[in-house]
Amino acid sequence: MTEHDDTNPKPPSVAHARFAIGDVVKHRLFDFRGVVFDVDPVFANSEEWYQSIPEDARPPKDQPYYHLLAENADSSYIAYVSQQNLEADGDSAPVEHPAIAGMFDGRDGARYRLKRQLRH
């Protein structure tokens, strides 16, 4: 066997998801926070969406991306954010997104509990 064998290339490595469904997180650069309601192990949005991010701020695709029920001082919305741009939110105030009641049954400490019928 040679030193370099291309017959069985290694799959790309995938970073471990730092956050789970129900976690409250905040964006590292922008002033918003939200509740995680889904996690993609790697980027899974459209190429058009990805290219709309300024190149100097565009995060790598090979990391977890999180779907958030997000809020800022002005509105509530759905956000799609790379792991590198999120951190745990230390604020104990509830997230006031209107879709939370449809997905979650309240909170256990800092984490929201996913409704039983939505768990798999």
Side-chain angles (χ1 to χ4, degrees):
M1 181 180 239
T2 63
E3 271 185 49
H4 185 64
D5 184 3
D6 287 330
T7 57
N8 287 320
K10 289 170 58 172
S13 63
V14 175
H16 175 73
R18 210 176 292 145
F19 305 106
I21 293 172
D23 283 349
V24 180
V25 295
K26 65 181 180 179
H27 198 282
R28 289 181 187 275
L29 306 173
F30 302 113
D31 189 21
F32 72 86
R33 61 196 291 256
V35 179
V36 175
F37 72 89
D38 198 8
V39 182
D40 293 333
V42 294
F43 179 82
N45 206 333
S46 71
E47 189 61 25
E48 179 182 4
W49 183 93
Y50 187 74
Q51 294 299 324
S52 73
I53 301 168
E55 190 171 353
D56 61 339
R58 200 174 295 152
K61 291 181 177 181
D62 63 345
Q63 63 181 308
Y65 277 73
Y66 299 84
H67 300 262
L68 308 177
L69 298 176
E71 66 178 5
N72 61 25
D74 301 320
S75 64
S76 297
Y77 51 96
I78 303 289
Y80 190 64
V81 185
S82 65
Q83 180 162 278
Q84 75 181 44
N85 286 321
L86 291 176
E87 58 189 25
D89 182 47
D91 188 343
S92 61
V95 176
E96 300 293 340
H97 194 286
I100 286 179
M103 287 188 192
F104 298 96
D105 276 334
R107 296 181 351 178
D108 282 331
R111 176 178 274 170
Y112 282 81
R113 289 185 316 269
L114 189 63
K115 287 190 174 198
R116 183 175 302 282
Q117 63 267 31
L118 298 177
R119 298 178 200 161
H120 23 295

